[in-house]
Amino acid sequence: SYRSTVSSRDGKRIFAVGVEPRGELVHYDASSKQFLPLLPGILAFDSSWSADGKWVVYNTYPDHALWRSSSDGTAALQLVAGQANTPSVSPDDKQVAYTDSAGAVCVIAMDGGSPPAIVDKDGVAPHWSPDGSRLLFRDHESNSHIHILDLRGGAKSEVPGPAGLSGAQWLGSDRLAAGTSDHTKLIVFDVKAQQWSELVSFTAPGYLVDWAPAADYQSVVYTIGGPNPTIFRVHLADRKIETIGSMKGLRRAYISRMNVAPDGSAVFTRDLGAQEIYALTVKWP
């Protein structure tokens, strides 16, 4: 694709930046302190894993189609041909929730088959509760109001709280977390008590970029941007914060979000794309 076009002074050529987007899933290996590839040879981003770690669902890069494969990239199967963003595998490994191109929350079987079911026509970034009975997602229009959809009866409720929250995900059966609009705090909502509390906070020049719960919901992995981009883990039992590693060597794809693999490692999309300047000769009629 081309962007940033400008004509030459004599009007005979157009200069443009040609972009070829490419990306691969990588995870941070704490022992080697390196970002190592996942699914070699597959251009992908935004992964979600089965509970047993045998299967992974992902978007292909850059067309956003939804695929499922084994954790080593074999047995690949396309689930959705069109855009299917922010996939989330159900706890029983039988279904995948995602957002379609129209901004609706859909659910499709893990092995494909029948057409996807639209469970809510106005939601983005769905995330399954640990028991698989509820979906958490943001409002498609405002992109900040958080909703909980009970799949057993279809009831939907809005989570009260401050405006502009982002990245809402479950932390357990009765807790969820989200980032504040100023990127200075990660806060937790107790569903039963209907109260928010602070999990971690950040001071300038650092700021919250993204986060995701570990598979066992015992900790949260999050990243901080700024002069020293870093991966951290906060343990929920005692709120102890652990430094995982630096992100300075990682060139992230701008559309991607962080995920956590079944082994607890942080997963990102490394940008392998190219940007070059082209001179296009124009033959006017």
Side-chain angles (χ1 to χ4, degrees):
S1 60
Y2 293 93
R3 61 183 65 163
S4 304
T5 57
V6 63
S7 64
S8 62
R9 292 182 178 180
D10 60 10
K12 294 181 179 180
R13 290 186 295 176
I14 294 176
F15 298 103
V17 176
V19 180
E20 182 184 12
R22 295 172 62 85
E24 68 171 353
L25 289 174
V26 296
H27 73 109
Y28 184 78
D29 180 68
S31 59
S32 65
K33 297 182 179 181
Q34 294 181 333
F35 292 95
L36 304 180
L38 296 169
L39 308 180
I42 298 177
L43 302 182
F45 69 102
D46 275 2
S47 59
S48 181
W49 305 75
S50 63
D52 59 10
K54 295 180 179 180
W55 298 96
V56 58
V57 171
Y58 55 88
N59 290 120
T60 48
Y61 194 88
D63 60 355
H64 294 241
L66 186 64
W67 286 73
R68 179 224 70 193
S69 75
S70 60
S71 57
D72 62 2
T74 60
L77 173 69
Q78 187 180 69
L79 300 179
V80 181
Q83 285 200 12
N85 302 311
T86 58
S88 178
V89 177
S90 63
D92 63 4
D93 302 337
K94 294 181 179 180
Q95 300 179 95
V96 181
Y98 64 92
T99 305
D100 70 7
S101 58
V105 174
C106 302
V107 174
I108 192 170
M110 187 74 159
D111 57 359
S114 58
I118 297 177
V119 297
D120 195 278
K121 63 180 181 180
D122 191 25
V124 295
H127 190 240
W128 294 91
S129 62
D131 64 359
S133 67
R134 292 164 292 172
L135 278 173
L136 180 73
F137 53 86
R138 298 196 313 274
D139 183 88
H140 178 248
E141 292 298 326
S142 68
N143 209 27
S144 60
H145 293 219
I146 302 170
H147 298 277
I148 297 175
L149 176 66
D150 192 326
L151 298 174
R152 294 165 296 191
K156 184 170 71 170
S157 59
E158 184 175 325
V159 176
L165 296 178
S166 62
Q169 297 184 64
W170 292 99
L171 284 188
S173 58
D174 293 306
R175 289 192 298 177
L176 58 94
T180 56
S181 59
D182 58 4
H183 305 283
T184 63
K185 295 179 182 178
L186 184 61
I187 56 178
V188 175
F189 182 72
D190 187 309
V191 176
K192 291 184 177 179
Q194 293 285 290
Q195 290 183 338
W196 288 94
S197 61
E198 182 181 304
L199 180 60
V200 287
S201 61
F202 319 97
T203 55
Y207 55 90
L208 178 68
V209 177
D210 45 16
W211 68 276
D216 59 5
Y217 296 101
Q218 299 300 306
S219 64
V220 172
V221 179
Y222 63 93
T223 63
I224 296 299
N228 297 298
T230 307
I231 311 168
F232 294 93
R233 184 189 306 275
V234 55
H235 297 270
L236 298 176
D238 55 10
R239 306 294 175 98
K240 181 180 179 181
I241 298 175
E242 165 193 356
T243 302
I244 296 178
S246 172
M247 296 179 62
K248 281 192 173 181
L250 178 66
R251 178 185 168 191
R252 293 187 66 178
Y254 76 96
I255 62 168
S256 64
R257 59 176 179 164
M258 184 196 75
N259 306 95
V260 177
D263 64 1
S265 62
V267 179
F268 304 90
T269 303
R270 176 159 52 197
D271 186 1
L272 301 178
Q275 295 188 33
E276 299 173 310
I277 299 175
Y278 288 81
L280 311 174
T281 301
V282 180
K283 295 181 179 180
W284 302 105

